[in-house]
Amino acid sequence: MINWSLLIGNSNLEVLSRLKESEKNIVKKLLMDVSLTDITKLAHWYVSTPTYTTVRINTFKTTVEHVIEVIKLQLCKQSVDHGVNDIPSVKQDSLLKDCIVIGCWDVNRKLLQPLNKKQNEVIIDIPCGVSVLRGANVFAPGVMAMSPSVKEGDFVTVYADVSKKCLKGFLKYYDDPYKKYIGLGIAKMTRKSLFEINRQQIGIAVEMKETVSGVPSFTLPPELGLLQNYPSILCSHVLNPQSEDLILDMCAAPGNKTTHIASLMKGKGQIIALDKTEKKIERIKENCKNQHLNNVSAYVFDATKAFDGNCITERGRVKAPPYNENTFDRILLDAPCSALGQRPQLSQSLSFKQADSFPLLQKRLFKAAVKLLKPNGTLVFSTCTLLVTENESMVSWVLNEFLDLQLVPAEPIVGGPGNKNCGLTEEQCHLVQKFGPSYCNSSFPHQSDTVGFFIAKFKKIKSR
Ligand code: SAM
């Protein structure tokens, strides 16, 4: 397991000599794929939290101005707790009109020190730590341990268990040198209520007051909008859905892009959302219901097998998969991937073998997508990884394999170009867009200080 924090400030040689062979291979591959030479720079990008939070507004139900007011009101109330006059900036993005960009609290202005009390500690797991750094509170399922003396309303110090050695409900002081200080909060539950046998773990366990990232926390009713990374918001705009389209979202759960597409279509047209996991389809349905979107039909289905069917149409709406060839106006293939663009990352345990398994699945999904797309139809492919095998090399494979697909500009282009020498020509590298540690946009920093992401867009032509 790679603990990125421990790699910062050391020479490449020193870091590589300390890593296991499999970890070394992943780090070397990442450096090559993002055109970096310095491991510290890569590790720093991974451990740091994106400075800006982005919210995608459900413009079908509300306005950007209203949501800006809702967020500002909450931050103003918090500024009283923080003892400051200024709140973080809350603005509409200059390009994506349904995106609001929120800055950070000034992390230098506070004494963000852990409480000097061993008895007031809460240990949380890594996914919970990541969510808290991005502005969430601590929810009960993420808590690994809590000091027995903590009472409801006490100030507590929150640490993430980066070593993954803390057992659920651990009773003693968790004396691990690698636990990462996340911030301070107020306990909303006690140890007893958290770990009681047969009790369902739900609700907020710690309400965060300060985090080392300074990312503000606020809540929005789901029908107004939701937190989404900037490139993910951009991705649905690249698809450019039109209100009468029939759209396929092949790998749709939890449905963040599905609902965005549905909202852009103003509740018209039809979106078929597929995912192979039944539980996840329930999430899509729930999200659509919460956002009052009725133009989505979600099905549990393996999208690699979604073609070769005889689909039924009832009152102008298509029913369950599989579907006929040449059915959809637009297809989004937001592919399952190695997710090596996620930030912040407190640790990384993906093996080379696991990372290598994704291109095969992505190729099978592409084969289905190309069949299902109408001539002149649009296909958008995206991943949240930095690896070229799942990005640039995949696009190169697609162009060689499907002569009826043409690479077109993934507009609006915000990110940097794709990597050269990975099968794409210089011109093709500029048709795709990539977000990662080597891309920086100093005029609009929120557009580059974000997660790693890749977007390519294709058009289906009849023949070449
Ligand atoms: N587009 C989603 C969003 O924005 O909310 C995120 C999709 S996530 C990157 C990839 C999804 O692909 C996962 O939910 C996974 O269950 C699904 N998946 C993996 N293999 C699949 C397959 N063969 N058919 C359909 N879905 C699949």
Side-chain angles (χ1 to χ4, degrees), residues 228 249-257 274-277 280 301-304 332 334-336 361 365:
Q228 223 179 337
D249 188 353
M250 294 181 88
C251 300
N256 293 340
K257 295 187 188 73
L274 305 182
D275 204 281
K276 65 167 192 182
T277 316
K280 291 187 180 178
F301 208 81
D302 178 349
T304 62
L332 174 62
D334 186 34
L361 174 57
L365 288 161

mmCIF file of all heavy atoms in Angstrom, residues 228 249-257 274-277 280 301-304 332 334-336 361 365, ligand 1:
data_model
loop_
_atom_site.group_PDB
_atom_site.id
_atom_site.type_symbol
_atom_site.label_atom_id
_atom_site.label_comp_id
_atom_site.label_asym_id
_atom_site.label_seq_id
_atom_site.Cartn_x
_atom_site.Cartn_y
_atom_site.Cartn_z
ATOM 1 N N GLN A 228 -20.356 17.819 -7.574
ATOM 2 C CA GLN A 228 -19.817 17.008 -8.681
ATOM 3 C C GLN A 228 -18.484 17.630 -9.084
ATOM 4 O O GLN A 228 -18.365 18.867 -9.119
ATOM 5 C CB GLN A 228 -20.806 17.051 -9.854
ATOM 6 C CG GLN A 228 -21.031 15.722 -10.505
ATOM 7 C CD GLN A 228 -22.030 15.763 -11.657
ATOM 8 O OE1 GLN A 228 -22.867 16.640 -11.740
ATOM 9 N NE2 GLN A 228 -21.937 14.807 -12.545
ATOM 10 N N ASP A 249 -26.880 5.904 -21.404
ATOM 11 C CA ASP A 249 -25.785 6.066 -20.442
ATOM 12 C C ASP A 249 -25.427 4.643 -20.022
ATOM 13 O O ASP A 249 -26.144 4.003 -19.257
ATOM 14 C CB ASP A 249 -26.287 6.919 -19.260
ATOM 15 C CG ASP A 249 -25.159 7.297 -18.319
ATOM 16 O OD1 ASP A 249 -24.046 6.796 -18.508
ATOM 17 O OD2 ASP A 249 -25.416 8.088 -17.397
ATOM 18 N N MET A 250 -24.310 4.134 -20.578
ATOM 19 C CA MET A 250 -24.022 2.690 -20.486
ATOM 20 C C MET A 250 -23.634 2.217 -19.086
ATOM 21 O O MET A 250 -23.935 1.090 -18.712
ATOM 22 C CB MET A 250 -22.881 2.323 -21.437
ATOM 23 C CG MET A 250 -23.232 2.482 -22.882
ATOM 24 S SD MET A 250 -21.858 1.995 -23.917
ATOM 25 C CE MET A 250 -22.138 0.249 -24.111
ATOM 26 N N CYS A 251 -22.873 3.036 -18.373
ATOM 27 C CA CYS A 251 -22.381 2.652 -17.040
ATOM 28 C C CYS A 251 -22.781 3.787 -16.120
ATOM 29 O O CYS A 251 -21.987 4.684 -15.835
ATOM 30 C CB CYS A 251 -20.865 2.487 -17.079
ATOM 31 S SG CYS A 251 -20.344 1.227 -18.240
ATOM 32 N N ALA A 252 -24.002 3.777 -15.669
ATOM 33 C CA ALA A 252 -24.629 5.015 -15.202
ATOM 34 C C ALA A 252 -24.588 5.259 -13.694
ATOM 35 O O ALA A 252 -24.715 6.404 -13.263
ATOM 36 C CB ALA A 252 -26.081 5.038 -15.668
ATOM 37 N N ALA A 253 -24.460 4.213 -12.889
ATOM 38 C CA ALA A 253 -24.615 4.410 -11.441
ATOM 39 C C ALA A 253 -23.440 5.187 -10.841
ATOM 40 O O ALA A 253 -22.317 5.026 -11.303
ATOM 41 C CB ALA A 253 -24.716 3.044 -10.758
ATOM 42 N N PRO A 254 -23.678 6.037 -9.850
ATOM 43 C CA PRO A 254 -24.944 6.316 -9.164
ATOM 44 C C PRO A 254 -25.876 7.282 -9.903
ATOM 45 O O PRO A 254 -26.893 7.680 -9.348
ATOM 46 C CB PRO A 254 -24.482 6.916 -7.834
ATOM 47 C CG PRO A 254 -23.192 7.616 -8.170
ATOM 48 C CD PRO A 254 -22.546 6.777 -9.236
ATOM 49 N N GLY A 255 -25.510 7.666 -11.112
ATOM 50 C CA GLY A 255 -26.449 8.462 -11.905
ATOM 51 C C GLY A 255 -26.199 9.956 -11.882
ATOM 52 O O GLY A 255 -27.069 10.739 -12.261
ATOM 53 N N ASN A 256 -24.995 10.365 -11.450
ATOM 54 C CA ASN A 256 -24.731 11.812 -11.393
ATOM 55 C C ASN A 256 -24.719 12.440 -12.783
ATOM 56 O O ASN A 256 -25.224 13.542 -12.974
ATOM 57 C CB ASN A 256 -23.402 12.088 -10.682
ATOM 58 C CG ASN A 256 -23.485 11.712 -9.216
ATOM 59 O OD1 ASN A 256 -24.586 11.610 -8.673
ATOM 60 N ND2 ASN A 256 -22.356 11.479 -8.580
ATOM 61 N N LYS A 257 -24.153 11.704 -13.747
ATOM 62 C CA LYS A 257 -24.163 12.255 -15.113
ATOM 63 C C LYS A 257 -25.535 12.027 -15.745
ATOM 64 O O LYS A 257 -26.015 12.867 -16.498
ATOM 65 C CB LYS A 257 -23.036 11.648 -15.949
ATOM 66 C CG LYS A 257 -21.668 12.039 -15.416
ATOM 67 C CD LYS A 257 -20.540 11.618 -16.278
ATOM 68 C CE LYS A 257 -19.214 11.860 -15.583
ATOM 69 N NZ LYS A 257 -18.943 10.897 -14.467
ATOM 70 N N LEU A 274 -28.036 2.277 -17.812
ATOM 71 C CA LEU A 274 -27.746 0.875 -17.481
ATOM 72 C C LEU A 274 -26.630 0.798 -16.452
ATOM 73 O O LEU A 274 -25.721 1.619 -16.450
ATOM 74 C CB LEU A 274 -27.293 0.105 -18.735
ATOM 75 C CG LEU A 274 -28.192 0.116 -19.965
ATOM 76 C CD1 LEU A 274 -27.573 -0.741 -21.062
ATOM 77 C CD2 LEU A 274 -29.599 -0.390 -19.627
ATOM 78 N N ASP A 275 -26.710 -0.178 -15.599
ATOM 79 C CA ASP A 275 -25.580 -0.529 -14.740
ATOM 80 C C ASP A 275 -25.749 -1.992 -14.398
ATOM 81 O O ASP A 275 -26.870 -2.492 -14.310
ATOM 82 C CB ASP A 275 -25.523 0.324 -13.472
ATOM 83 C CG ASP A 275 -24.108 0.377 -12.911
ATOM 84 O OD1 ASP A 275 -23.697 -0.613 -12.254
ATOM 85 O OD2 ASP A 275 -23.394 1.366 -13.155
ATOM 86 N N LYS A 276 -24.606 -2.664 -14.195
ATOM 87 C CA LYS A 276 -24.733 -4.114 -14.014
ATOM 88 C C LYS A 276 -25.084 -4.493 -12.576
ATOM 89 O O LYS A 276 -25.400 -5.638 -12.303
ATOM 90 C CB LYS A 276 -23.470 -4.833 -14.487
ATOM 91 C CG LYS A 276 -22.263 -4.509 -13.690
ATOM 92 C CD LYS A 276 -21.147 -5.465 -14.003
ATOM 93 C CE LYS A 276 -20.052 -5.288 -12.976
ATOM 94 N NZ LYS A 276 -18.900 -6.076 -13.151
ATOM 95 N N THR A 277 -25.032 -3.531 -11.654
ATOM 96 C CA THR A 277 -25.289 -3.852 -10.252
ATOM 97 C C THR A 277 -26.680 -3.389 -9.822
ATOM 98 O O THR A 277 -27.002 -2.208 -9.927
ATOM 99 C CB THR A 277 -24.213 -3.190 -9.351
ATOM 100 O OG1 THR A 277 -22.947 -3.401 -9.959
ATOM 101 C CG2 THR A 277 -24.207 -3.747 -7.958
ATOM 102 N N LYS A 280 -27.124 -0.556 -7.285
ATOM 103 C CA LYS A 280 -26.747 0.758 -7.816
ATOM 104 C C LYS A 280 -27.863 1.353 -8.672
ATOM 105 O O LYS A 280 -28.003 2.564 -8.765
ATOM 106 C CB LYS A 280 -25.461 0.643 -8.638
ATOM 107 C CG LYS A 280 -24.229 0.327 -7.810
ATOM 108 C CD LYS A 280 -23.010 0.422 -8.703
ATOM 109 C CE LYS A 280 -21.735 0.122 -7.970
ATOM 110 N NZ LYS A 280 -20.582 0.187 -8.874
ATOM 111 N N PHE A 301 -28.338 -4.147 -16.178
ATOM 112 C CA PHE A 301 -27.977 -4.864 -17.399
ATOM 113 C C PHE A 301 -26.477 -4.748 -17.642
ATOM 114 O O PHE A 301 -25.878 -3.712 -17.365
ATOM 115 C CB PHE A 301 -28.731 -4.272 -18.608
ATOM 116 C CG PHE A 301 -28.962 -5.277 -19.700
ATOM 117 C CD1 PHE A 301 -30.013 -6.177 -19.633
ATOM 118 C CD2 PHE A 301 -28.101 -5.341 -20.792
ATOM 119 C CE1 PHE A 301 -30.214 -7.123 -20.628
ATOM 120 C CE2 PHE A 301 -28.291 -6.284 -21.794
ATOM 121 C CZ PHE A 301 -29.363 -7.173 -21.708
ATOM 122 N N ASP A 302 -25.884 -5.821 -18.162
ATOM 123 C CA ASP A 302 -24.485 -5.774 -18.561
ATOM 124 C C ASP A 302 -24.418 -5.064 -19.912
ATOM 125 O O ASP A 302 -24.870 -5.605 -20.929
ATOM 126 C CB ASP A 302 -23.948 -7.211 -18.659
ATOM 127 C CG ASP A 302 -22.501 -7.258 -19.118
ATOM 128 O OD1 ASP A 302 -21.975 -6.215 -19.557
ATOM 129 O OD2 ASP A 302 -21.903 -8.342 -19.044
ATOM 130 N N ALA A 303 -23.874 -3.855 -19.906
ATOM 131 C CA ALA A 303 -23.899 -3.027 -21.120
ATOM 132 C C ALA A 303 -23.103 -3.637 -22.271
ATOM 133 O O ALA A 303 -23.342 -3.289 -23.428
ATOM 134 C CB ALA A 303 -23.378 -1.630 -20.805
ATOM 135 N N THR A 304 -22.184 -4.566 -21.986
ATOM 136 C CA THR A 304 -21.427 -5.195 -23.080
ATOM 137 C C THR A 304 -22.354 -6.081 -23.925
ATOM 138 O O THR A 304 -22.011 -6.492 -25.018
ATOM 139 C CB THR A 304 -20.253 -6.060 -22.557
ATOM 140 O OG1 THR A 304 -20.786 -7.109 -21.752
ATOM 141 C CG2 THR A 304 -19.250 -5.254 -21.752
ATOM 142 N N LEU A 332 -23.222 7.866 -23.756
ATOM 143 C CA LEU A 332 -22.144 8.196 -22.823
ATOM 144 C C LEU A 332 -21.554 6.888 -22.312
ATOM 145 O O LEU A 332 -22.274 6.061 -21.750
ATOM 146 C CB LEU A 332 -22.678 9.026 -21.644
ATOM 147 C CG LEU A 332 -21.639 9.301 -20.539
ATOM 148 C CD1 LEU A 332 -20.457 10.108 -21.059
ATOM 149 C CD2 LEU A 332 -22.276 10.016 -19.357
ATOM 150 N N ASP A 334 -19.099 6.306 -19.674
ATOM 151 C CA ASP A 334 -18.289 6.770 -18.540
ATOM 152 C C ASP A 334 -17.765 5.484 -17.896
ATOM 153 O O ASP A 334 -18.382 4.916 -17.002
ATOM 154 C CB ASP A 334 -19.189 7.576 -17.588
ATOM 155 C CG ASP A 334 -18.405 8.226 -16.470
ATOM 156 O OD1 ASP A 334 -17.249 8.618 -16.705
ATOM 157 O OD2 ASP A 334 -18.945 8.340 -15.349
ATOM 158 N N ALA A 335 -16.630 5.044 -18.384
ATOM 159 C CA ALA A 335 -16.227 3.644 -18.204
ATOM 160 C C ALA A 335 -15.730 3.300 -16.808
ATOM 161 O O ALA A 335 -15.123 4.142 -16.138
ATOM 162 C CB ALA A 335 -15.122 3.340 -19.207
ATOM 163 N N PRO A 336 -15.965 2.034 -16.385
ATOM 164 C CA PRO A 336 -15.297 1.554 -15.179
ATOM 165 C C PRO A 336 -13.792 1.640 -15.432
ATOM 166 O O PRO A 336 -13.332 1.279 -16.528
ATOM 167 C CB PRO A 336 -15.754 0.097 -15.056
ATOM 168 C CG PRO A 336 -16.521 -0.230 -16.289
ATOM 169 C CD PRO A 336 -16.778 1.016 -17.047
ATOM 170 N N LEU A 361 -12.243 -4.689 -20.541
ATOM 171 C CA LEU A 361 -13.659 -4.402 -20.310
ATOM 172 C C LEU A 361 -14.088 -3.166 -21.112
ATOM 173 O O LEU A 361 -15.168 -3.145 -21.730
ATOM 174 C CB LEU A 361 -13.894 -4.176 -18.801
ATOM 175 C CG LEU A 361 -15.286 -3.721 -18.365
ATOM 176 C CD1 LEU A 361 -16.367 -4.690 -18.826
ATOM 177 C CD2 LEU A 361 -15.353 -3.575 -16.835
ATOM 178 N N LEU A 365 -17.071 -2.788 -23.949
ATOM 179 C CA LEU A 365 -18.132 -1.775 -23.858
ATOM 180 C C LEU A 365 -18.172 -0.934 -25.134
ATOM 181 O O LEU A 365 -19.237 -0.603 -25.641
ATOM 182 C CB LEU A 365 -17.904 -0.881 -22.627
ATOM 183 C CG LEU A 365 -18.196 -1.571 -21.280
ATOM 184 C CD1 LEU A 365 -17.539 -0.833 -20.121
ATOM 185 C CD2 LEU A 365 -19.703 -1.670 -21.044
HETATM 186 N N1 SAM B 1 -21.469 7.579 -14.765
HETATM 187 C C1 SAM B 1 -21.552 7.401 -13.334
HETATM 188 C C2 SAM B 1 -21.830 8.747 -12.677
HETATM 189 O O1 SAM B 1 -21.403 9.767 -13.197
HETATM 190 O O2 SAM B 1 -22.503 8.763 -11.634
HETATM 191 C C3 SAM B 1 -20.298 6.744 -12.776
HETATM 192 C C4 SAM B 1 -19.988 5.424 -13.443
HETATM 193 S S1 SAM B 1 -18.676 4.526 -12.703
HETATM 194 C C5 SAM B 1 -17.286 5.311 -13.361
HETATM 195 C C6 SAM B 1 -18.692 3.030 -13.607
HETATM 196 C C7 SAM B 1 -19.925 2.169 -13.385
HETATM 197 O O3 SAM B 1 -19.867 1.105 -14.355
HETATM 198 C C8 SAM B 1 -20.045 1.476 -12.046
HETATM 199 O O4 SAM B 1 -21.224 1.882 -11.400
HETATM 200 C C9 SAM B 1 -20.134 -0.026 -12.381
HETATM 201 O O5 SAM B 1 -21.077 -0.729 -11.604
HETATM 202 C C10 SAM B 1 -20.569 0.017 -13.827
HETATM 203 N N2 SAM B 1 -20.228 -1.162 -14.676
HETATM 204 C C11 SAM B 1 -19.100 -1.902 -14.669
HETATM 205 N N3 SAM B 1 -19.179 -2.859 -15.633
HETATM 206 C C12 SAM B 1 -20.365 -2.699 -16.255
HETATM 207 C C13 SAM B 1 -21.035 -3.380 -17.315
HETATM 208 N N4 SAM B 1 -20.463 -4.427 -17.927
HETATM 209 N N5 SAM B 1 -22.260 -2.945 -17.694
HETATM 210 C C14 SAM B 1 -22.847 -1.899 -17.063
HETATM 211 N N6 SAM B 1 -22.273 -1.224 -16.048
HETATM 212 C C15 SAM B 1 -21.047 -1.616 -15.655
#
